[in-house]
Amino acid sequence: MAIEVRIPTILRTYTGGERVVDGAGSTVTEVIDQLEADHTGIKERLIENGEARRFVNIYVNDEDIRFTGNLQTPVADGDTVVILPAVA
């Protein structure tokens, strides 16, 4: 079983149009690093100066990572990571 990563429409150009991709790792950082390995260029859109970009929200199982450990939030097989651009 893998980690399900849901990709917003605006970033699907990096995933070949896929709205859901498999992820791997034990933290959100590792999942994003794996995403970058599989989908070059996506990490730059998510991370800035070692933190999630200001207008990017990342959730693990419906919990905002800003309240659960930021990029060091643990993830496990079967978890869902959702990436959402902030809407003003």
Side-chain angles (χ1 to χ4, degrees):
M1 185 173 248
I3 297 163
E4 179 180 284
V5 183
R6 296 185 187 165
I7 307 295
T9 304
I10 196 156
L11 296 177
R12 290 181 193 161
T13 56
Y14 297 97
T15 62
E18 295 294 322
R19 63 185 300 180
V20 176
V21 297
D22 288 337
S26 61
T27 65
V28 172
T29 295
E30 291 178 7
V31 170
I32 291 171
D33 287 342
Q34 181 63 46
L35 279 177
E36 178 66 19
D38 294 341
H39 310 285
T40 304
I42 198 166
K43 183 176 181 177
E44 180 181 334
R45 298 299 201 177
L46 303 175
I47 306 298
E48 182 174 53
N49 299 322
E51 296 185 17
R53 285 183 173 269
R54 183 174 173 198
F55 296 107
V56 173
N57 299 310
I58 302 173
Y59 299 87
V60 174
N61 299 328
D62 299 323
E63 295 289 330
D64 188 331
I65 66 165
R66 288 183 172 93
F67 303 105
T68 60
N70 287 311
L71 295 174
Q72 295 310 311
T73 297
V75 293
D77 282 351
D79 284 350
T80 300
V81 175
V82 177
I83 300 167
L84 289 175
V87 177

